[in-house]
C-alpha cells in the first residue's frame, strides 16, 4: 500500500456554492502532503469530509485501501484518522492532562465502565505523561485549558490528535495565529513526526509549507489546480496568479 | 479524609432527623426530611445528564412517576390477586418492586432517549417534555389504575424482618437506599464513563474527533438517570402510600431542574442541597402565605442571577476556592 489516503471525485455543495469541486487527491504513506489555497477555497470543508464530520454529496474516500466514504467520524478515528481543528476545539473546563488523558482513554477503551476509577487507570496516565513530556506543554499539565494561551491551545490540539495514534493526521492550519518562534517550534515538532505517520497539512504559512511538505496540492474555488513539489508549485504561473499573487508569500 | 466530612455530616443529620422531629414534637419534619432524600435522589439522577452530560431533559418526572406506578400497580395486583395481563403476579415486596421500578423506568428512558437524543438544543428540551406529557396523559387515561385519582397503596411494601407499618422504619429504609444510591453515583461520576460524559458536555465535536460515538454514551447516561428517578419514585410511592399522575406532571420536571440548578449544576452534593433548599423553602413559605410560589420564584431568581454555580458555587466562593 503506497497510498494511505485516496480521494476520488469528491463533491460538496452549500446551496449554490460548490465548496468541493470534483476533488481527486492522494496522500502517500509516510508523506507530508500540504494543501494550500486562498481563504474560502474549501480546505476546511475538505478536511471535514475526510474526517466524517461533513458528508460529501458525491465521490469516494479510501483510507488505507478501505472505502470510508459513509463511515461515521468515530469509526474513522478507530481506523487511524486523526485531526486537529483550525479553530481550536478543546475541553475547556478540563486541565491539559485531563484533555490528553481522555483522548488516550477514548482510544484505549473501557469507556462504558461505571465502576472503575478514572484516576486509577495507570496505563492511561502513564501514556498521557509520556505524550506531554515530549511536548511544549510539559510544565502546563495542570493548567485549565480555558487559561491557556492561543499557542498552547494549538499545541494541545496536536497532542490530542497524536493521543489517538493516527496513521494519517489531518492538520487544519496548525500554525494559524502563532508567533514566529511558536511556528518554528510547531514545524520542528511536525518534522519530528515525519515517518511515524502520514500528514495532510492545510497551512497558509508558506515558510512552514515549504519546510515540511513532500508534495503540495493547490486548491482554488474548490478545485485542485495542481499537485507537485515545492519547486513546481513555486514556479507554476497558475498558482502565482491564483494564490501567491494575491498574498505575500 | 476531609472529603468525608460533608457526607458523614449529611448522613448524621438525616439519621437523627426522626429523633429531632420527635423531640420538638413536629412529625412534619420527618416527612420533610424524607421528601428531601427522595427528591435529592431524583435531582441527582437528573444532574447526571443535565449537570455532568449537558442534556437539558425537561421530562424527568416521567421516570419518577413510572417508578411510583410500578409500585402502585404491583400492589393493586397483589391485593386483587389478578395477574398483570394474566401473566405476572403482583407484589408487595420492596426487594421485588424496587428493581422492577428501575427496569421499567430505565426502559421508558431508553425509548424516549433513543428518539430524543437524535436532536439537540431547544428541540431536545421540547421533545423530552412532549414525551413526558404523553406518559402523563397515558396514566390519566388509565382508569383501571385510578385515572386522575391514582392508586392508593394501603400499606408500604414489605421488607423481611422489618415492620414497614412504622413510618420511622420506612424513613430509615429510604435513608439506606439513598446512601447506597449516592455511593453508586459517586462511583459513576469518577469512572471512565463519567469522564467521557463530562467531555461530552464540554465539547461533543471534540469527543467525536477522539473516536467517541457520543450518541451511545448519552443514551447510556439517559437510561441510568431514568432508573435513578424511577427508584426515587418507587420510594415515594411507598412513603406516601399513594401514586398519581401528578407525580409526573411537567411542573415536577421543572422543580427537579430548579433543584439541580439551585444546588449547583454538575456538582456531586448540589442536588442534595438544592432539593433541601427547595423543599424547606416551600415548606415554610407555604405556611406563611398561599402565594409561596411567588416568593420561591423571587428567591430562585436571586440565586440564579447572583450566585454562579448555585449553593455549591456560593460555598466554594466563600471558602475562596474554585469548584
Ligand atoms: N456549513 C457551511 N454552510 C455554507 N457555506 C459554507 C459552510 N462551510 C463553509 N462554507 C463556505 O464554503 C467555502 C469554503 O469554506 P472553507 O472553510 O472550507 O474554506 P477554507 O479554505 O478552509 O478557508 P480558510 O483559509 O479561511 O480557512 C467558503 O465560501 C465558506 O463560506
Ligand atoms: Mg479553513
Amino acid at each position: 500500500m503506497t497510498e494511505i489516503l485516496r480521494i476520488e471525485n469528491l463533491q460538496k455543495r452549500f446551496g449554490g456554492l460548490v465548496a468541493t469541486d470534483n476533488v481527486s487527491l492522494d496522500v502517500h504513506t509516510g508523506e507530508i502532503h500540504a494543501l494550500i489555497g486562498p481563504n474560502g477555497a474549501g480546505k476546511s470543508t475538505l478536511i471535514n469530509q475526510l474526517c466524517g464530520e461533513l458528508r460529501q454529496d458525491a465521490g469516494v474516500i479510501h483510507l488505507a485501501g478501505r472505502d470510508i466514504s459513509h463511515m461515521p467520524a468515530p469509526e474513522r478515528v478507530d481506523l487511524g484518522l486523526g485531526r486537529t481543528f483550525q479553530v481550536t476545539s478543546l475541553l475547556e473546563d478540563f486541565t491539559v492532562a485531563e484533555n490528553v488523558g481522555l483522548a488516550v482513554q477514548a482510544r484505549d477503551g473501557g469507556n462504558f465502565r461505571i465502576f472503575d476509577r478514572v484516576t486509577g487507570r495507570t496505563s492511561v496516565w502513564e501514556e498521557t505523561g509520556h505524550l506531554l513530556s515530549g511536548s511544549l506543554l510539559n510544565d502546563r499539565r495542570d493548567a485549565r485549558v480555558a487559561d491557556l494561551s492561543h499557542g498552547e491551545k494549538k499545541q494541545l490540539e496536536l497532542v490530542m490528535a497524536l493521543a489517538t495514534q493516527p496513521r494519517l493526521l489531518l492538520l487544519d492550519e496548525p500554525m494559524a495565529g502563532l508567533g514566529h518562534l511558536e511556528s518554528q517550534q510547531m514545524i520542528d515538532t511536525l518534522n519530528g513526526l515525519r515517518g511515524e505517520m502520514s500528514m495532510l497539512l492545510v497551512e497558509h504559512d508558506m515558510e512552514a509549507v515549504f519546510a515540511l511538505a513532500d508534495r503540495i496540492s493547490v486548491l482554488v474555488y474548490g478545485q485542485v489546480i495542481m499537485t507537485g513539489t515545492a519547486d513546481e508549485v513555486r514556479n507554476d504561473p497558475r498558482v502565482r496568479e491564483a494564490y501567491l499573487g494575491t498574498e505575500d508569500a | 479524609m476531609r472529603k468525608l466530612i460533608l457526607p458523614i455530616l449529611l448522613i448524621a443529620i438525616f439519621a437523627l432527623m426522626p429523633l429531632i422531629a420527635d423531640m420538638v414534637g413536629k412529625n412534619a419534619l420527618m416527612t420533610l426530611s424524607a421528601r428531601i432524600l427522595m427528591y435529592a435522589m431524583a435531582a441527582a439522577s437528573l444532574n447526571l445528564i443535565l449537570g455532568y452530560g449537558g442534556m437539558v431533559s425537561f421530562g424527568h418526572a416521567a421516570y419518577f412517576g413510572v417508578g411510583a406506578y410500578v409500585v402502585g400497580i404491583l400492589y393493586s395486583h397483589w391485593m386483587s390477586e389478578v395477574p398483570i395481563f394474566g401473566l405476572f403476579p403482583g407484589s408487595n415486596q420492596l426487594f421485588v418492586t424496587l428493581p422492577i421500578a428501575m427496569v421499567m423506568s430505565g426502559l421508558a428512558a431508553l425509548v424516549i432517549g433513543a428518539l430524543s437524543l437524535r436532536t439537540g438544543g431547544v428541540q431536545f428540551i421540547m421533545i423530552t417534555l412532549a414525551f413526558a406529557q404523553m406518559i402523563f396523559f397515558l396514566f390519566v387515561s388509565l382508569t383501571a389504575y385510578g385515572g386522575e385519582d391514582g392508586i392508593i397503596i394501603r400499606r408500604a411494601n414489605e421488607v423481611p424482618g422489618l415492620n414497614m407499618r412504622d413510618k420511622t422504619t420506612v424513613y430509615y429504609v429510604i435513608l439506606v437506599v439513598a446512601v447506597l444510591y449516592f455511593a453508586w453515583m459517586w462511583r459513576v461520576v469518577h469512572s471512565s464513563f463519567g469522564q467521557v460524559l463530562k467531555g461530552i458536555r464540554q465539547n461533543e465535536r471534540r469527543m467525536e474527533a477522539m473516536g467517541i460515538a457520543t450518541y451511545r454514551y448519552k443514551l447510556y447516561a439517559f437510561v441510568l438517570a431514568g432508573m435513578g428517578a424511577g427508584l426515587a419514585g418507587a420510594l415515594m410511592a411507598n412513603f406516601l402510600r399513594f401514586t398519581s399522575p401528578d407525580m409526573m406532571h411537567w411542573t415536577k420536571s421543572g422543580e427537579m431542574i430548579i433543584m439541580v440548578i439551585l444546588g449547583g449544576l454538575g456538582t456531586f452534593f448540589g442536588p442534595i442541597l438544592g432539593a433541601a433548599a427547595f423543599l424547606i423553602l416551600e415548606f415554610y413559605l407555604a405556611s406563611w402565605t398561599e402565594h409561596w410560589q411567588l416568593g420561591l420564584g423571587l428567591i430562585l431568581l436571586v440565586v440564579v442571577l447572583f450566585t454562579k454555580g448555585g449553593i455549591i458555587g456560593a460555598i466554594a466562593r466563600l471558602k475562596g476556592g474554585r469548584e
Side-chain angles (χ1 to χ4, degrees):
Chain A
M1 182 61 49
T2 56
E3 288 154 1
I4 182 78
L5 179 74
R6 201 169 80 239
I7 307 170
E8 284 165 14
N9 307 100
L10 208 65
Q11 294 261 16
K12 181 73 192 175
R13 288 173 168 276
F14 294 119
L17 178 83
V18 187
T20 306
D21 190 357
N22 213 28
V23 166
S24 296
L25 189 102
D26 51 45
V27 176
H28 298 163
T29 304
E31 110 176 301
I32 299 184
H33 192 126
L35 182 67
I36 63 171
N39 289 111
K43 304 181 294 295
S44 296
T45 303
L46 182 63
I47 296 278
N48 287 337
Q49 289 169 86
L50 297 180
C51 73
E53 211 173 81
L54 269 181
R55 191 50 44 92
Q56 69 281 354
D57 297 332
V60 185
I61 305 165
H62 288 280
L63 180 71
R66 239 179 110 168
D67 185 348
I68 59 164
S69 313
H70 298 282
M71 198 179 269
E75 286 178 36
R76 299 186 197 198
V77 178
D78 292 343
L79 285 185
L81 197 63
R83 74 155 313 171
T84 67
F85 292 91
Q86 177 173 358
V87 178
T88 55
S89 182
L90 300 158
L91 308 172
E92 297 274 328
D93 297 342
F94 274 1
T95 64
V96 168
E98 284 170 332
N99 267 264
V100 180
L102 189 47
V104 173
Q105 177 197 319
R107 192 209 70 234
D108 195 46
N111 295 306
F112 278 108
R113 286 181 209 155
I114 56 171
F115 285 115
D116 69 344
R117 274 185 318 122
V118 72
T119 48
R121 293 185 65 167
T122 30
S123 69
V124 167
W125 297 108
E126 266 168 26
E127 190 178 332
T128 302
H130 191 71
L131 281 161
L132 282 171
S133 57
S135 82
L136 297 170
L137 293 166
N138 198 21
D139 302 331
R140 300 288 275 155
R141 288 177 190 215
D142 298 322
R144 238 167 51 109
V145 168
D147 300 330
L148 295 185
S149 72
H150 175 71
E152 289 169 331
K153 286 188 183 181
K154 281 285 188 190
Q155 280 289 337
L156 184 53
E157 278 277 338
L158 179 64
V159 177
M160 289 183 76
L162 294 178
T164 64
Q165 295 183 345
R167 303 157 73 185
L168 173 65
L169 186 54
L170 309 173
L171 297 154
D172 198 352
E173 304 203 20
M175 329 294 176
L178 296 189
H180 185 74
L181 178 66
E182 287 176 323
S183 288
Q184 199 53 54
Q185 287 169 332
M186 183 66 83
I187 292 172
D188 292 343
T189 308
L190 293 180
N191 237 332
L193 294 168
R194 185 188 295 278
E196 283 177 46
M197 62 196 72
S198 319
M199 296 181 210
L200 182 63
L201 168 69
V202 171
E203 191 44 65
H204 279 296
D205 181 338
M206 296 313 284
E207 195 189 328
V209 169
F210 289 136
L212 287 167
D214 297 307
R215 287 193 302 157
I216 302 170
S217 289
V218 185
L219 195 71
V220 180
Y221 293 122
Q223 292 180 327
V224 175
I225 61 167
M226 76 161 297
T227 296
T229 63
D231 278 338
E232 283 165 4
V233 167
R234 232 182 298 215
N235 297 322
D236 192 293
R238 288 169 302 171
V239 177
R240 281 181 172 278
E241 186 198 335
Y243 184 70
L244 300 177
T246 60
E247 286 194 18
D248 282 338
Chain B
M1 280 302 105
R2 283 196 57 198
K3 272 191 191 166
L4 285 176
I5 294 175
L6 188 53
I8 289 172
L9 193 70
L10 283 170
I11 293 172
I13 292 172
F14 280 111
L16 291 174
M17 221 47 211
L19 307 177
I20 295 169
D22 207 34
M23 253 160 36
V24 299
K26 269 182 105 174
N27 251 330
L29 275 185
M30 191 173 84
T31 304
L32 176 64
S33 181
R35 276 163 50 82
I36 291 173
L37 282 171
M38 292 179 285
Y39 273 110
M41 288 171 66
S45 70
L46 176 61
N47 188 39
L48 183 68
I49 49 175
L50 178 64
Y52 290 101
M55 293 166 257
V56 188
S57 168
F58 206 146
H60 211 59
Y63 316 111
F64 187 76
V66 168
Y69 263 96
V70 165
V71 171
I73 291 171
L74 286 172
Y75 183 82
S76 69
H77 284 273
W78 176 78
M79 279 293 282
S80 64
E81 293 177 9
V82 178
I84 303 167
F85 303 130
L87 291 171
F88 315 102
S91 173
N92 74 334
Q93 294 295 315
L94 196 72
F95 290 138
V96 175
T97 60
L98 289 194
I100 295 178
M102 284 194 281
V103 168
M104 295 312 288
S105 48
L107 281 175
L110 180 66
V111 172
I112 294 177
L115 296 168
S116 49
L117 284 168
R118 297 280 178 201
T119 67
V122 176
Q123 237 187 328
F124 179 74
I125 303 175
M126 299 316 286
I127 289 186
T128 50
L129 174 62
F131 276 120
Q133 285 299 90
M134 276 167 57
I135 295 190
F136 170 80
F137 284 115
L138 172 73
F139 280 100
V140 167
S141 67
L142 273 185
T143 42
Y145 298 115
E148 266 180 86
D149 299 329
I151 305 170
I152 290 173
I153 301 162
R154 297 243 305 274
R155 241 174 245 165
N157 287 168
E158 299 289 340
V159 178
L162 294 181
N163 175 16
M164 293 292 278
R165 290 192 209 185
D166 175 28
K167 202 85 177 164
T168 310
T169 307
V170 176
Y171 177 89
Y172 282 112
V173 168
I174 292 170
L175 177 58
V176 168
V177 175
V179 169
L180 290 175
Y181 182 71
F182 277 97
W184 174 81
M185 183 62 82
W186 179 264
R187 302 223 54 170
V188 173
V189 301
H190 292 94
S191 67
S192 293
F193 174 70
Q195 197 78 344
V196 170
L197 194 60
K198 292 172 197 168
I200 290 173
R201 183 202 70 233
Q202 294 172 65
N203 191 341
E204 204 168 336
R205 189 176 179 211
R206 163 55 71 184
M207 297 304 289
E208 293 260 332
M210 296 189 327
I212 297 290
T214 54
Y215 175 80
R216 295 172 208 167
Y217 294 86
K218 292 198 289 185
L219 186 55
Y220 187 35
F222 206 84
V223 171
L224 291 178
M227 292 173 77
L231 176 62
L235 291 177
M236 188 61 96
N238 274 290
F239 187 73
L240 298 176
R241 285 187 267 110
F242 173 66
T243 103
S244 82
D246 276 347
M247 293 169 95
M248 51 179 92
H249 195 254
W250 69 270
T251 52
K252 290 284 175 211
S253 297
E255 285 176 8
M256 289 179 196
I257 293 178
I258 290 170
M259 289 172 189
V260 173
I261 295 174
L262 190 61
L265 211 53
T267 61
F268 184 78
F269 293 104
I272 304 174
L273 302 183
F278 184 97
L279 294 169
I280 292 169
L281 275 175
E282 183 190 69
F283 185 75
Y284 284 104
L285 289 177
S287 64
W288 285 341
T289 161
E290 58 188 286
H291 304 298
W292 62 274
Q293 279 168 319
L294 181 67
L296 190 63
L298 287 174
I299 291 170
L300 287 176
L301 206 62
V302 170
V303 169
V304 172
L305 287 180
F306 297 106
T307 72
K308 196 164 158 280
I311 297 171
I312 293 280
I315 294 173
R317 242 163 307 125
L318 280 178
K319 291 200 302 195
R322 194 181 58 194
E323 248 289 4

